[in-house]
Amino acid sequence: MKREADEKEYRQDLEALLQEAGEILANTEQNLVLLEKTPSDTALIQEVFRAMHTLKGGAATLGLEDAVAVCHGMETVLDEVRSCQRSITSEMMDGLFQVLDWLRDWRSALGEGTKAPDSARILSVVRTVQGTADYSADPDSPKPPEAPPGKAKTQDLTAILEATASQGGSIHVLTVRFRTDAPLLSVRCFQVRTLVEEVAEVAGSMPSLDEIENDEASDTLTLFVVGDKEADEARRVAATVQDVVEVSMRKYVMNATVDGPSSPSDMSHVRVEKTALGKTVRVDVALLDFLMNMVGELVIDRTRLSQIATKLTSCGETAAVGSEINSLASHLQRTSSELQEGLMRARLLPLKSIVGKFPRMLRDLSQRCGKETVFTMAGESTEMDRTVLEAIDDPLIHLLRNAVDHGIEMPGERERLGKPRAGTIRLSAWHEDNQILVRVEDDGAGIDTEKIRRSAVNKGLITEEASLKLTEHEVTELIFLPGFSTAAVTTEVSGRGVGMDVARQNLERVNGRIEMKTRLGEGTQVTLRLPLTLSIMRALLVKCGEETYAISTSSVEEVFSLKDQAVGSVQGKTAMNVRGRVVPLVSLKGVLRDSPWQRNGARYALLTRTQDQPMAIGVDDLLGEEEIVVKELRAPLSRLRGVAGATILAEGDPAVILDINRIM
């Protein structure tokens, strides 16, 4: 039983380390990209040093010696940089990036339970960056002195404190307490000590640094901080570390013992500052999905109850009962709406949770392609449903790769054209109405539509005759055809013909769409239009024959009664006049049945837009607007073109949710 408990505890500690390591590595990658551009930024150097220091401590706690050796090597180099003993070089940056890649592979292997990557090659890289040989494996190399017994350490610390105090130094005892059940206490102690050392001189600690590295830490850390103002700042930064529940401060008293708790006479100097427990918790995604499904059922019942109340209110003798039920339904609506909104917020994640890797990716791609680029981001804090966020990850990678490989010209060519040597690539995101827009734009060569047309014809994707009838916008749309590529040679960056069509498919799966604008010689702009959430949405219920369909209100700009509209024909195609503008008109019944315009039964027209082009859809009847719960369809139904999912109506009947953009 003890062995099982030990294994469980080790696994919990490992999972905590892996979670923290993931965040540290993501932040470090961004910091390294910035550091390469501003190598004199001491704050960035300190951040990267702290990351290596923290990872080393976490790995040492669990006995993961390979990662300890790798992190310690780079920690030593960075310590020399921050102490101005050496400068940052391109070789050093390349080494740091390679260490980061190795640590990421190491973390993945630990998480998956597979063999960790060999550390021999990366340690060779570290030694090269250090500029020194590795004597750790030499049996004749000098060994560090044995650590003295605990009492001797206490005596040494007391001597240091007395000497500092006798020279006029003001010493404060900073006591930091952690949650007793907090994992990786040694790592937390490392973090607190490192943060405090940045703002104040630390004369010593209990446990000592050696003891912390040997995983001899408890839920209490005592630091002896020099300086009055520095002590206040030290108390503040210590309180910011995860799992800290209490921070206290007192003046150090000469000749007082330091190997036990404070005596009552010392307490007059104590200032206690309680820190709030973490305001966030980790929640399993499956639990969020379950709760959202339950809220969905609640929304259906809420709508049904409102309809019953409305019927009863209009029925004479039962009017009073109906009124009471109506009041109950209204309260249920408010409560369920607030619950729904809260759960939807819980599913939201900021865009920055996936874009952190992009600066590094573009740096490497630019170097590989021999190009110079400047990458900027805006709106990283824009939040969206986690499912949407996952769906746009690959499309954004494709778009950014294309911007480097196909969009940005070589430095010499840009200079010849009067452009800066470095091309600009920008990723931005923002809210617009009830949608989220994510845009990738560059100031590169733009897209040659004639080249696209010829390539599509040569690949047999379209006939020569048909290609000549296409507008410039329609030619650009050919990029999204499966198998399309203009690359003469397939490279590891792009040109495999599996990019833009996959990007569009990923977006359509989450009811999003992609729009492209380009100007030859000036650049390209690609915009992703995405829904705020996938679980519950506002929909317009329409009739087509005997069937009821749901259409997202975000896809409908306006509704017209066809009896008030002049419907005619333009070049053999049905159209209607909308405030002086001719808009193509198609029948939903005709589209679904793959037949021409069918006016019979069509009473209303929904004005929608596809690829910035207006289009009207004729439907037989309107049943009203309603909040619906989106149910995901499984294969083979999920492969039906133009079907975004299904829902259960208030009456209990199922209805198909149409993806109007895909249908058009």
Side-chain angles (χ1 to χ4, degrees), residues 326-396:
N326 197 36
S327 176
L328 175 62
S330 297
H331 180 266
L332 178 61
Q333 181 169 356
R334 288 195 301 273
T335 304
S336 59
S337 293
E338 290 176 5
L339 177 60
Q340 171 190 332
E341 183 181 349
L343 276 172
M344 286 171 63
R345 283 203 305 268
R347 290 177 59 89
L348 297 180
L349 289 173
L351 182 63
K352 64 183 177 184
S353 59
I354 66 166
V355 302
K357 60 181 176 288
F358 292 158
R360 164 74 187 284
M361 183 187 81
L362 263 69
R363 169 199 180 266
D364 293 348
L365 286 176
S366 299
Q367 288 186 349
R368 200 178 306 161
C369 296
K371 297 179 179 180
E372 297 178 16
T373 59
V374 175
F375 179 53
T376 63
M377 293 191 290
E380 303 102 303
S381 60
T382 303
E383 292 184 322
M384 59 190 77
D385 191 286
R386 55 171 294 279
T387 307
V388 177
L389 204 59
E390 291 172 356
I392 67 172
D393 193 11
D394 283 344
L396 286 178

Side-chain angles (χ1 to χ4, degrees), residues 176-179 192 238-239 241-247 275-277:
V176 182
R177 301 188 190 281
F178 304 94
R179 286 193 302 110
V192 170
V241 175
Q242 185 177 346
D243 293 328
V244 170
V245 294
E246 183 179 339
V247 179
T275 62
L277 291 174

Side-chain angles (χ1 to χ4, degrees), residues 10-70:
Y10 177 84
R11 191 65 200 175
Q12 290 175 340
D13 291 347
L14 179 61
E15 289 177 358
L17 172 63
L18 295 179
Q19 287 179 347
E20 187 167 32
E23 297 171 2
I24 290 174
L25 293 175
N27 291 334
T28 302
E29 186 167 66
Q30 296 179 50
N31 288 333
L32 286 178
V33 173
L34 294 173
L35 186 60
E36 190 171 40
K37 298 175 182 177
T38 55
S40 60
D41 191 325
T42 55
L44 284 174
I45 295 169
Q46 182 61 39
E47 281 292 325
V48 179
F49 170 83
R50 185 192 304 161
M52 293 296 167
H53 189 65
T54 303
L55 283 176
K56 183 184 79 170
T61 301
L62 296 178
L64 304 170
E65 297 300 331
D66 49 355
V68 172
V70 172

Side-chain angles (χ1 to χ4, degrees), residues 447-454 472-473 475-476 518 520:
I447 297 176
D448 187 341
T449 53
E450 179 57 26
K451 184 178 180 181
I452 292 175
R453 189 188 64 79
R454 289 198 307 269
E472 187 170 330
H473 174 77
V475 172
T476 305
T518 184
L520 190 61

Side-chain angles (χ1 to χ4, degrees), residues 234-442:
R235 187 178 75 252
R236 185 190 66 79
V237 299
T240 65
V241 175
Q242 185 177 346
D243 293 328
V244 170
V245 294
E246 183 179 339
V247 179
S248 61
M249 180 79 75
R250 66 179 174 85
K251 278 274 193 179
Y252 173 70
V253 181
M254 286 279 285
N255 300 318
T257 179
V258 298
D259 59 353
S262 303
S263 64
S265 61
D266 294 329
M267 294 306 290
S268 61
H269 299 285
V270 175
R271 284 179 293 173
V272 178
E273 181 177 297
K274 292 270 187 177
T275 62
L277 291 174
K279 295 183 182 298
T280 60
V281 293
R282 297 181 186 274
V283 180
D284 192 291
V285 171
L287 176 57
L288 283 178
D289 290 340
F290 168 76
L291 291 174
M292 186 56 77
N293 282 334
M294 292 301 97
V295 170
E297 297 301 320
L298 193 59
V299 169
I300 294 172
D301 292 343
R302 178 188 75 192
T303 305
R304 180 62 175 153
L305 185 59
S306 296
Q307 291 182 351
I308 293 173
T310 301
K311 291 178 181 178
L312 286 174
T313 304
S314 61
C315 291
E317 295 180 1
T318 58
V321 178
S323 178
E324 188 175 344
I325 294 179
N326 197 36
S327 176
L328 175 62
S330 297
H331 180 266
L332 178 61
Q333 181 169 356
R334 288 195 301 273
T335 304
S336 59
S337 293
E338 290 176 5
L339 177 60
Q340 171 190 332
E341 183 181 349
L343 276 172
M344 286 171 63
R345 283 203 305 268
R347 290 177 59 89
L348 297 180
L349 289 173
L351 182 63
K352 64 183 177 184
S353 59
I354 66 166
V355 302
K357 60 181 176 288
F358 292 158
R360 164 74 187 284
M361 183 187 81
L362 263 69
R363 169 199 180 266
D364 293 348
L365 286 176
S366 299
Q367 288 186 349
R368 200 178 306 161
C369 296
K371 297 179 179 180
E372 297 178 16
T373 59
V374 175
F375 179 53
T376 63
M377 293 191 290
E380 303 102 303
S381 60
T382 303
E383 292 184 322
M384 59 190 77
D385 191 286
R386 55 171 294 279
T387 307
V388 177
L389 204 59
E390 291 172 356
I392 67 172
D393 193 11
D394 283 344
L396 286 178
I397 291 174
H398 285 305
L399 294 175
L400 291 170
R401 284 175 173 268
N402 283 342
V404 175
D405 197 27
H406 295 305
I408 302 299
E409 308 93 335
M410 298 297 287
E413 176 66 11
R414 290 182 63 86
E415 283 188 328
R416 187 184 67 79
L417 295 171
K419 295 182 176 182
R421 283 180 60 86
T424 299
I425 300 173
R426 179 177 176 82
L427 173 65
S428 54
W430 68 96
H431 286 268
E432 187 175 284
D433 297 329
N434 58 347
Q435 290 183 316
I436 298 169
L437 273 64
V438 180
R439 178 171 292 165
V440 175
E441 52 192 325
D442 66 73

